[in-house]
Coordinates of all heavy atoms in Angstrom, one line a residue:
F1 N 6.3 6.8 -0.7 CA 5.1 7.6 -0.7 C 4.5 7.7 0.7 O 4.0 8.7 1.1 CB 4.1 7.0 -1.7 CG 2.8 7.8 -1.7 CD1 2.7 9.0 -2.4 CD2 1.7 7.4 -0.9 CE1 1.5 9.7 -2.4 CE2 0.5 8.1 -0.9 CZ 0.4 9.3 -1.6
L2 N 4.6 6.5 1.4 CA 4.0 6.5 2.8 C 4.8 7.5 3.7 O 4.1 8.2 4.4 CB 4.0 5.1 3.3 CG 3.0 4.1 2.7 CD1 3.3 2.7 3.3 CD2 1.6 4.6 2.9
E3 N 6.0 7.5 3.5 CA 6.8 8.4 4.4 C 6.5 9.9 4.0 O 6.3 10.7 4.8 CB 8.3 8.1 4.2 CG 9.2 9.0 5.1 CD 9.0 8.7 6.6 OE1 8.7 7.6 6.9 OE2 9.2 9.7 7.4
A4 N 6.5 10.2 2.7 CA 6.2 11.5 2.2 C 4.8 12.0 2.6 O 4.6 13.2 2.8 CB 6.4 11.6 0.7
S5 N 3.9 11.1 2.7 CA 2.5 11.5 2.9 C 2.2 11.5 4.4 O 1.0 11.7 4.8 CB 1.5 10.6 2.1 OG 1.6 9.3 2.6
R6 N 3.1 11.1 5.2 CA 2.9 11.0 6.7 C 2.6 12.4 7.4 O 1.8 12.4 8.3 CB 4.0 10.3 7.4 CG 3.8 10.0 8.8 CD 4.8 9.1 9.3 NE 6.1 9.8 9.4 CZ 7.1 9.4 10.2 NH1 6.9 8.4 11.0 NH2 8.3 10.0 10.2
S7 N 3.2 13.4 6.9 CA 3.0 14.7 7.5 C 1.6 15.2 7.3 O 0.8 14.7 6.5 CB 4.0 15.7 6.9 OG 3.6 16.1 5.6
G8 N 1.2 16.3 8.0 CA -0.1 16.9 7.9 C -0.4 17.6 6.5 O -1.5 17.8 6.2
T9 N 0.7 17.9 5.8 CA 0.4 18.5 4.5 C -0.1 17.5 3.5 O 0.2 16.4 3.5 CB 1.7 19.2 4.0 OG1 2.7 18.1 3.8 CG2 2.3 20.2 4.9
E10 N -1.0 18.0 2.6 CA -1.6 17.1 1.7 C -0.6 16.8 0.5 O -0.1 17.7 -0.1 CB -2.9 17.7 1.1 CG -4.1 17.6 2.0 CD -4.3 16.2 2.4 OE1 -4.5 15.3 1.5 OE2 -4.4 15.9 3.6
P11 N -0.4 15.5 0.3 CA 0.5 15.1 -0.8 C -0.2 15.2 -2.1 O -1.4 15.3 -2.2 CB 0.9 13.7 -0.4 CG -0.3 13.2 0.3 CD -0.9 14.4 1.1
H12 N 0.6 15.0 -3.1 CA 0.1 14.8 -4.5 C -0.4 13.3 -4.5 O 0.3 12.4 -4.1 CB 1.1 15.0 -5.5 CG 0.7 14.5 -6.9 ND1 -0.2 15.0 -7.6 CD2 1.2 13.4 -7.6 CE1 -0.4 14.3 -8.8 NE2 0.5 13.3 -8.7
W13 N -1.7 13.1 -4.8 CA -2.2 11.8 -4.9 C -2.1 11.3 -6.3 O -3.0 11.6 -7.1 CB -3.7 11.8 -4.4 CG -3.8 12.3 -3.0 CD1 -4.2 13.5 -2.6 CD2 -3.6 11.5 -1.8 NE1 -4.2 13.6 -1.3 CE2 -3.9 12.4 -0.7 CE3 -3.3 10.2 -1.5 CZ2 -3.8 12.0 0.6 CZ3 -3.2 9.8 -0.2 CH2 -3.4 10.7 0.8
P14 N -1.1 10.5 -6.6 CA -0.9 10.1 -8.0 C -2.0 9.3 -8.6 O -2.2 9.3 -9.8 CB 0.4 9.3 -8.0 CG 0.7 9.0 -6.6 CD -0.1 10.0 -5.7
F15 N -2.8 8.6 -7.8 CA -3.9 7.8 -8.3 C -5.2 8.3 -7.7 O -6.2 7.6 -7.7 CB -3.7 6.3 -7.9 CG -2.5 5.7 -8.6 CD1 -1.3 5.7 -8.0 CD2 -2.6 5.2 -9.9 CE1 -0.2 5.2 -8.6 CE2 -1.5 4.7 -10.6 CZ -0.3 4.7 -9.9
G16 N -5.2 9.6 -7.4 CA -6.5 10.2 -6.9 C -6.7 9.9 -5.4 O -6.0 9.1 -4.8
Y17 N -7.8 10.5 -4.9 CA -8.2 10.4 -3.5 C -9.7 10.0 -3.5 O -10.5 10.7 -4.1 CB -8.0 11.8 -2.8 CG -8.2 11.7 -1.3 CD1 -7.2 11.5 -0.5 CD2 -9.5 11.8 -0.8 CE1 -7.4 11.4 0.9 CE2 -9.7 11.8 0.6 CZ -8.6 11.5 1.4 OH -8.8 11.5 2.8
D18 N -10.0 8.9 -2.9 CA -11.3 8.4 -2.8 C -11.9 8.9 -1.5 O -11.5 8.4 -0.4 CB -11.3 6.9 -2.8 CG -12.7 6.3 -2.8 OD1 -13.7 7.0 -2.4 OD2 -12.8 5.1 -3.1
A19 N -12.9 9.8 -1.5 CA -13.5 10.4 -0.3 C -14.2 9.3 0.5 O -14.5 9.5 1.7 CB -14.4 11.5 -0.7
G20 N -14.5 8.2 0.0 CA -15.2 7.1 0.7 C -14.2 6.3 1.5 O -14.7 5.4 2.3
R21 N -12.9 6.5 1.4 CA -11.9 5.8 2.2 C -11.3 6.8 3.2 O -11.3 8.0 2.9 CB -10.8 5.3 1.3 CG -11.2 4.2 0.4 CD -10.0 3.6 -0.3 NE -10.3 2.4 -1.0 CZ -10.2 2.2 -2.3 NH1 -9.7 3.2 -3.1 NH2 -10.5 1.1 -2.9
S22 N -10.7 6.3 4.2 CA -10.0 7.1 5.1 C -8.7 7.6 4.5 O -8.3 7.1 3.4 CB -9.6 6.3 6.4 OG -8.6 5.3 6.1
R23 N -8.1 8.6 5.1 CA -6.8 9.2 4.6 C -5.8 8.1 4.5 O -5.0 8.0 3.5 CB -6.3 10.3 5.4 CG -5.1 11.0 4.9 CD -4.7 12.3 5.7 NE -3.7 13.1 5.1 CZ -2.4 12.8 5.0 NH1 -2.0 11.7 5.6 NH2 -1.6 13.6 4.4
D24 N -5.7 7.3 5.6 CA -4.6 6.2 5.6 C -4.9 5.2 4.5 O -4.0 4.6 3.9 CB -4.5 5.6 7.0 CG -3.8 6.5 7.9 OD1 -3.0 7.4 7.5 OD2 -3.9 6.3 9.2
A25 N -6.2 4.8 4.3 CA -6.5 3.9 3.2 C -6.1 4.4 1.9 O -5.6 3.7 1.0 CB -8.0 3.6 3.3
N26 N -6.3 5.7 1.7 CA -5.9 6.4 0.4 C -4.4 6.3 0.3 O -3.9 6.1 -0.8 CB -6.4 7.8 0.3 CG -7.8 7.9 -0.2 OD1 -8.1 7.7 -1.4 ND2 -8.8 8.1 0.7
R27 N -3.7 6.5 1.4 CA -2.2 6.5 1.4 C -1.8 5.1 1.0 O -0.9 4.9 0.1 CB -1.7 6.8 2.8 CG -1.8 8.3 3.1 CD -1.3 8.6 4.5 NE 0.1 8.3 4.7 CZ 0.7 7.9 5.8 NH1 -0.1 7.7 6.9 NH2 2.0 7.7 5.8
L28 N -2.4 4.0 1.6 CA -2.0 2.7 1.2 C -2.3 2.3 -0.2 O -1.5 1.7 -0.9 CB -2.7 1.7 2.1 CG -2.0 1.4 3.5 CD1 -2.9 0.5 4.3 CD2 -0.6 0.8 3.3
V29 N -3.5 2.7 -0.7 CA -3.9 2.4 -2.1 C -2.9 3.1 -3.1 O -2.4 2.4 -4.0 CB -5.3 2.9 -2.4 CG1 -5.6 2.9 -3.9 CG2 -6.3 2.0 -1.7
N30 N -2.6 4.3 -2.8 CA -1.6 5.0 -3.7 C -0.2 4.4 -3.6 O 0.4 4.2 -4.6 CB -1.6 6.5 -3.4 CG -2.7 7.3 -4.1 OD1 -2.5 7.8 -5.2 ND2 -3.8 7.3 -3.5
A31 N 0.2 4.0 -2.4 CA 1.5 3.4 -2.2 C 1.6 2.1 -3.0 O 2.6 1.7 -3.6 CB 1.9 3.3 -0.8
L32 N 0.5 1.3 -2.8 CA 0.5 0.0 -3.5 C 0.5 0.1 -5.0 O 1.2 -0.7 -5.7 CB -0.7 -0.8 -3.0 CG -0.8 -1.2 -1.6 CD1 -2.1 -1.9 -1.2 CD2 0.4 -2.1 -1.2
K33 N -0.2 1.0 -5.5 CA -0.2 1.2 -7.0 C 1.1 1.7 -7.5 O 1.6 1.3 -8.5 CB -1.4 2.2 -7.4 CG -2.7 1.5 -7.2 CD -3.8 2.5 -7.7 CE -5.2 1.8 -7.6 NZ -6.3 2.6 -8.1
L34 N 1.8 2.6 -6.7 CA 3.1 3.0 -7.1 C 4.1 1.8 -7.0 O 4.9 1.7 -8.0 CB 3.6 4.1 -6.1 CG 3.0 5.5 -6.3 CD1 3.3 6.4 -5.2 CD2 3.4 6.1 -7.7
A35 N 4.0 1.0 -6.0 CA 4.9 -0.2 -6.0 C 4.6 -1.1 -7.1 O 5.5 -1.7 -7.7 CB 4.6 -0.9 -4.6
N36 N 3.3 -1.3 -7.5 CA 3.0 -2.1 -8.6 C 3.6 -1.6 -9.9 O 4.1 -2.4 -10.7 CB 1.5 -2.2 -8.8 CG 1.1 -3.2 -9.8 OD1 1.4 -4.4 -9.8 ND2 0.3 -2.7 -10.8
Q37 N 3.6 -0.3 -10.1 CA 4.2 0.3 -11.3 C 5.7 -0.1 -11.3 O 6.2 -0.4 -12.4 CB 4.1 1.8 -11.2 CG 2.8 2.4 -11.7 CD 2.8 3.9 -11.8 OE1 3.6 4.6 -11.1 NE2 2.0 4.4 -12.6
Q38 N 6.4 0.0 -10.2 CA 7.8 -0.3 -10.1 C 8.0 -1.8 -10.5 O 9.0 -2.1 -11.2 CB 8.4 -0.1 -8.8 CG 8.4 1.4 -8.4 CD 9.3 2.2 -9.4 OE1 10.4 1.8 -9.8 NE2 8.9 3.3 -9.8
V39 N 7.2 -2.7 -10.0 CA 7.3 -4.1 -10.3 C 7.1 -4.3 -11.8 O 7.9 -5.0 -12.5 CB 6.3 -5.0 -9.5 CG1 6.3 -6.4 -10.0 CG2 6.7 -5.0 -8.0
Q40 N 6.1 -3.7 -12.4 CA 5.8 -3.8 -13.8 C 7.0 -3.2 -14.7 O 7.4 -3.9 -15.6 CB 4.5 -3.1 -14.2 CG 3.3 -3.8 -13.7 CD 2.0 -3.1 -14.1 OE1 2.0 -1.9 -14.3 NE2 0.9 -3.8 -14.2
R41 N 7.5 -2.1 -14.3 CA 8.6 -1.5 -15.0 C 9.8 -2.4 -15.0 O 10.5 -2.6 -16.0 CB 9.0 -0.2 -14.4 CG 8.1 1.0 -14.8 CD 8.7 2.3 -14.4 NE 7.7 3.3 -14.6 CZ 7.2 4.1 -13.6 NH1 7.8 4.1 -12.4 NH2 6.3 5.0 -13.9
R42 N 10.1 -3.0 -13.8 CA 11.2 -3.9 -13.7 C 11.0 -5.1 -14.6 O 12.0 -5.6 -15.3 CB 11.4 -4.4 -12.3 CG 12.6 -5.2 -12.0 CD 13.9 -4.3 -12.2 NE 15.0 -5.1 -11.8 CZ 16.2 -4.8 -12.1 NH1 16.5 -3.7 -12.8 NH2 17.2 -5.6 -11.7
G43 N 9.8 -5.6 -14.7 CA 9.5 -6.7 -15.6 C 9.7 -6.4 -17.1 O 10.1 -7.2 -17.9
E44 N 9.5 -5.1 -17.4 CA 9.6 -4.7 -18.8 C 11.1 -4.4 -19.1 O 11.5 -4.6 -20.2 CB 8.9 -3.4 -19.0 CG 7.4 -3.5 -19.0 CD 6.6 -2.2 -18.9 OE1 7.2 -1.2 -18.8 OE2 5.4 -2.3 -18.8
Q45 N 11.9 -4.1 -18.1 CA 13.3 -3.7 -18.3 C 14.2 -5.0 -18.4 O 15.2 -5.0 -19.0 CB 13.8 -2.8 -17.2 CG 13.2 -1.5 -17.2 CD 13.5 -0.7 -16.0 OE1 14.0 -1.2 -15.0 NE2 13.2 0.6 -16.0
V46 N 13.8 -6.0 -17.7 CA 14.6 -7.2 -17.6 C 13.9 -8.4 -18.2 O 12.9 -8.9 -17.6 CB 15.0 -7.5 -16.1 CG1 15.9 -8.8 -16.0 CG2 15.7 -6.3 -15.4
P47 N 14.3 -8.9 -19.3 CA 13.5 -9.9 -20.0 C 13.2 -11.2 -19.2 O 12.1 -11.7 -19.3 CB 14.4 -10.3 -21.2 CG 15.2 -9.0 -21.5 CD 15.4 -8.4 -20.1
D48 N 14.2 -11.6 -18.3 CA 14.0 -12.7 -17.5 C 12.9 -12.5 -16.5 O 12.4 -13.5 -15.9 CB 15.3 -13.1 -16.7 CG 16.4 -13.6 -17.6 OD1 16.1 -13.8 -18.8 OD2 17.5 -13.8 -17.1
R49 N 12.5 -11.3 -16.2 CA 11.5 -11.0 -15.2 C 10.1 -10.6 -15.9 O 9.3 -10.1 -15.1 CB 12.0 -9.9 -14.3 CG 13.2 -10.4 -13.6 CD 13.5 -9.7 -12.3 NE 14.5 -10.3 -11.6 CZ 15.7 -9.8 -11.3 NH1 15.9 -8.5 -11.6 NH2 16.6 -10.4 -10.6
S50 N 10.0 -10.8 -17.1 CA 8.8 -10.4 -17.8 C 7.6 -11.1 -17.2 O 7.6 -12.3 -17.0 CB 8.9 -10.8 -19.3 OG 7.7 -10.5 -20.0
G51 N 6.5 -10.4 -16.9 CA 5.3 -11.0 -16.3 C 5.4 -11.3 -14.9 O 4.5 -11.9 -14.3
M52 N 6.5 -10.8 -14.2 CA 6.6 -11.1 -12.8 C 5.6 -10.4 -12.0 O 5.0 -9.4 -12.4 CB 8.0 -10.8 -12.3 CG 8.3 -9.3 -12.1 SD 9.9 -9.1 -11.4 CE 10.1 -7.4 -11.4
G53 N 5.3 -10.8 -10.8 CA 4.4 -10.2 -9.9 C 4.8 -10.6 -8.5 O 5.8 -11.3 -8.2
T54 N 4.0 -10.1 -7.5 CA 4.3 -10.4 -6.1 C 3.0 -10.3 -5.3 O 1.9 -9.8 -5.8 CB 5.3 -9.4 -5.5 OG1 5.7 -9.9 -4.2 CG2 4.9 -8.0 -5.5
T55 N 3.0 -10.7 -4.1 CA 1.9 -10.5 -3.2 C 2.4 -9.5 -2.1 O 3.6 -9.3 -1.9 CB 1.4 -11.8 -2.5 OG1 2.5 -12.3 -1.7 CG2 1.0 -12.8 -3.6
L56 N 1.5 -8.9 -1.4 CA 1.9 -7.9 -0.4 C 0.8 -7.8 0.7 O -0.4 -7.9 0.4 CB 2.0 -6.5 -1.1 CG 2.4 -5.4 -0.1 CD1 3.7 -4.7 -0.6 CD2 1.3 -4.4 0.1
V57 N 1.3 -7.7 1.9 CA 0.4 -7.3 3.0 C 1.0 -6.1 3.7 O 2.2 -6.1 4.0 CB 0.3 -8.5 4.0 CG1 -0.5 -8.1 5.2 CG2 -0.3 -9.7 3.4
A58 N 0.2 -5.1 3.9 CA 0.7 -3.9 4.6 C -0.3 -3.5 5.7 O -1.5 -3.7 5.7 CB 0.7 -2.8 3.6
L59 N 0.4 -3.0 6.8 CA -0.4 -2.5 8.0 C 0.1 -1.2 8.3 O 1.3 -1.0 8.5 CB -0.1 -3.5 9.2 CG -0.7 -3.0 10.5 CD1 -2.2 -3.1 10.4 CD2 -0.2 -3.9 11.6
L60 N -0.7 -0.2 8.3 CA -0.4 1.2 8.6 C -1.0 1.5 9.9 O -2.3 1.5 10.0 CB -0.9 2.1 7.4 CG -0.5 3.6 7.5 CD1 1.0 3.8 7.6 CD2 -1.2 4.3 6.4
V61 N -0.2 1.8 10.9 CA -0.7 2.1 12.2 C -0.5 3.6 12.5 O 0.6 4.1 12.4 CB 0.0 1.3 13.3 CG1 -0.4 1.6 14.7 CG2 -0.1 -0.2 13.0
D62 N -1.6 4.2 13.0 CA -1.5 5.6 13.4 C -2.3 5.7 14.7 O -3.5 5.7 14.8 CB -2.2 6.5 12.3 CG -2.2 8.0 12.7 OD1 -1.4 8.4 13.6 OD2 -2.9 8.7 12.1
G63 N -1.5 5.8 15.8 CA -2.1 5.8 17.1 C -2.9 4.6 17.4 O -2.3 3.5 17.4
H64 N -4.2 4.7 17.7 CA -5.0 3.5 18.0 C -5.7 3.0 16.7 O -6.6 2.1 16.8 CB -6.0 3.8 19.0 CG -5.4 4.2 20.4 ND1 -4.9 3.2 21.2 CD2 -5.2 5.3 21.0 CE1 -4.4 3.8 22.2 NE2 -4.6 5.1 22.2
H65 N -5.4 3.5 15.5 CA -6.1 3.1 14.3 C -5.1 2.3 13.4 O -3.9 2.7 13.3 CB -6.6 4.3 13.5 CG -7.6 5.1 14.3 ND1 -8.9 4.7 14.4 CD2 -7.5 6.2 15.1 CE1 -9.6 5.5 15.1 NE2 -8.7 6.5 15.6
A66 N -5.6 1.2 12.8 CA -4.7 0.4 11.9 C -5.5 0.3 10.6 O -6.7 0.1 10.6 CB -4.4 -0.9 12.5
T67 N -4.8 0.4 9.5 CA -5.4 0.2 8.2 C -4.6 -1.0 7.5 O -3.4 -0.9 7.5 CB -5.3 1.4 7.3 OG1 -5.9 2.5 8.1 CG2 -6.0 1.3 6.0
V68 N -5.3 -1.9 7.0 CA -4.7 -3.1 6.4 C -5.0 -3.2 4.9 O -6.1 -2.9 4.5 CB -5.2 -4.4 7.1 CG1 -4.6 -5.7 6.5 CG2 -5.0 -4.4 8.6
A69 N -4.0 -3.6 4.2 CA -4.2 -3.8 2.7 C -3.5 -5.1 2.4 O -2.5 -5.5 2.9 CB -3.6 -2.7 1.9
N70 N -4.1 -5.8 1.4 CA -3.5 -7.0 0.9 C -3.7 -7.1 -0.6 O -4.8 -6.8 -1.1 CB -3.9 -8.3 1.7 CG -5.3 -8.7 1.5 OD1 -6.2 -7.9 1.9 ND2 -5.6 -9.8 0.8
V71 N -2.7 -7.6 -1.3 CA -2.8 -7.8 -2.7 C -2.3 -9.3 -3.0 O -1.3 -9.7 -2.4 CB -1.9 -6.8 -3.4 CG1 -1.9 -7.1 -4.9 CG2 -2.3 -5.4 -3.2
G72 N -3.1 -10.0 -3.8 CA -2.7 -11.4 -4.1 C -3.3 -12.3 -3.0 O -4.2 -12.0 -2.3
D73 N -2.6 -13.4 -2.9 CA -3.1 -14.5 -2.0 C -2.5 -14.4 -0.6 O -2.7 -15.3 0.2 CB -3.0 -15.8 -2.6 CG -1.6 -16.2 -2.9 OD1 -0.7 -15.4 -2.6 OD2 -1.4 -17.3 -3.5
S74 N -1.8 -13.4 -0.3 CA -1.3 -13.2 1.1 C -2.4 -12.5 1.9 O -3.2 -11.7 1.5 CB 0.0 -12.3 1.1 OG 1.0 -13.0 0.4
R75 N -2.4 -12.9 3.2 CA -3.5 -12.4 4.1 C -2.9 -11.8 5.4 O -1.8 -12.3 5.8 CB -4.5 -13.5 4.4 CG -5.3 -13.9 3.3 CD -6.3 -15.0 3.7 NE -5.7 -16.2 4.1 CZ -5.5 -17.3 3.3 NH1 -5.9 -17.2 2.0 NH2 -5.0 -18.4 3.7
A76 N -3.6 -11.0 6.0 CA -3.3 -10.5 7.4 C -4.3 -11.0 8.3 O -5.5 -11.1 8.0 CB -3.3 -9.0 7.4
Y77 N -3.9 -11.4 9.5 CA -4.8 -11.9 10.5 C -4.7 -11.1 11.8 O -3.6 -10.6 12.1 CB -4.4 -13.4 10.9 CG -4.5 -14.3 9.7 CD1 -3.5 -14.6 8.9 CD2 -5.8 -14.9 9.5 CE1 -3.6 -15.5 7.9 CE2 -5.9 -15.8 8.4 CZ -4.9 -16.1 7.6 OH -5.0 -17.0 6.6
L78 N -5.8 -11.0 12.5 CA -5.8 -10.3 13.8 C -5.6 -11.4 14.8 O -6.3 -12.4 14.9 CB -7.2 -9.6 14.0 CG -7.4 -9.0 15.4 CD1 -6.4 -7.9 15.6 CD2 -8.8 -8.5 15.5
W79 N -4.6 -11.1 15.6 CA -4.3 -12.1 16.7 C -4.5 -11.3 18.0 O -3.9 -10.3 18.3 CB -2.8 -12.5 16.7 CG -2.4 -13.4 17.7 CD1 -2.0 -13.1 19.0 CD2 -2.4 -14.8 17.6 NE1 -1.7 -14.3 19.7 CE2 -1.9 -15.4 18.9 CE3 -2.7 -15.7 16.6 CZ2 -1.8 -16.7 19.1 CZ3 -2.5 -17.1 16.9 CH2 -2.1 -17.6 18.1
R80 N -5.5 -11.8 18.8 CA -5.9 -11.1 20.0 C -6.2 -12.1 21.1 O -6.9 -13.0 20.9 CB -7.1 -10.2 19.8 CG -7.6 -9.4 21.0 CD -8.8 -8.6 20.8 NE -8.7 -7.7 19.7 CZ -9.7 -7.2 19.0 NH1 -10.9 -7.4 19.3 NH2 -9.5 -6.4 18.0
D81 N -5.6 -11.9 22.2 CA -5.8 -12.8 23.4 C -5.6 -14.3 23.0 O -6.4 -15.1 23.5 CB -7.2 -12.6 24.0 CG -7.3 -11.1 24.5 OD1 -6.4 -10.6 25.0 OD2 -8.5 -10.6 24.4
G82 N -4.6 -14.5 22.2 CA -4.2 -15.9 21.9 C -5.1 -16.5 20.8 O -5.1 -17.7 20.6
V83 N -6.0 -15.8 20.3 CA -7.0 -16.3 19.3 C -6.8 -15.5 18.0 O -6.7 -14.3 18.0 CB -8.4 -16.1 19.8 CG1 -9.4 -16.6 18.7 CG2 -8.6 -16.8 21.1

């Protein structure tokens, strides 16, 4: 989804578009929800994986702007000038 929505043409937003978020934040939200659907489907298809889940940290960089998303207990940190 991230690759398909990278161009200037407006993609289909499978989970809607929140005008209160940036375009890149909407891209990440939709991509994360699509990925979650895949994890859930896999858990339903393979009995040994029933109820499985994962954590995720994503960083979407566009020029001088970065958008960060995290799901679960994984975190992203800003490292600047050794701090």
